Amino acid sequence: MEKLVIIPTYNEKDNIRKIIDAVFTLQEDFHILIVDDGSPDGTGNIVKSLQKQHPGELFLSERSGKQGLGTAYIHGFKWALDKGYRYIFEMDADFSHNPKDLPRLYNACAREGGDVAVGSRYVKGGRTENWPWDRAVLSYGASVYVRFVTWMRVKDATAGFVCYKREVLEAINLDAIRFVGYAFQIEMKFTAWKLGFKVKEVPITFIDRKEGYSKMSKGIVKEGILGVLKIQWESLFRKYERRVRKEQLQEQEQ
């Protein structure tokens, strides 16, 4: 019960079997939790059929309706903490994140002093492949914008390929994380950084999805732009840290 990979899904029938097989092929003792938001294409049923091949390693949590990426991960984080996992990973189902990089993120936290390991496109050695120019400009521009507004030194703050030590997620009041789309990834890294945890970036190659379709929308982009301004403004006041830090940890410090 050491390493859990959380993969949120909505209509990923073309990818889900392949991504699960790719993680287990690593033979690195990664467990998988699929958080499926009632995919009408039958993604959840495919996972159920695979659970027989991977008893005690592949788990499925089904939710009713599309509730957003952020809430799916919060749901998965709470599940992982309840089950006792020590290293909790975020990863997309569409192979934009290469499962072979999971051990590198693990090592960054388990052996190299990181509390949060980010699969980064924008550090030395990181890159993107087959991305439309407008998405590439949007993503890189967002990373620059986040650093400018928040002063956080993470170069790929919007990255969704992440490893968290258990201690990080235990320290955060997960119910206080407000954003559900593009800004969720930024808010989680920003919160961990504000609480004093070390964020390490690991260079990866991000490859645009080949199957299925992107969930990006104008609303998600808007949430990211305005959300960054909001969390930075709130962080200037003591009440922000009180809101995002778990109550029991606040009591221990007092």
Side-chain angles (χ1 to χ4, degrees), residues 125-154:
R127 62 193 181 100
T128 62
E129 282 187 4
N130 303 325
W131 233 9
W133 70 268
D134 55 339
R135 285 292 304 277
V137 170
L138 175 64
S139 175
Y140 185 74
S143 69
V144 174
Y145 170 73
V146 171
R147 277 181 283 156
F148 177 77
V149 173
T150 66
W151 315 325
M152 181 170 60
R153 294 183 179 179
V154 177

Side-chain angles (χ1 to χ4, degrees), residues 31-44:
H31 291 185
I32 301 173
L33 170 66
I34 304 296
V35 181
D36 186 66
D37 277 3
S39 297
D41 71 349
T43 297

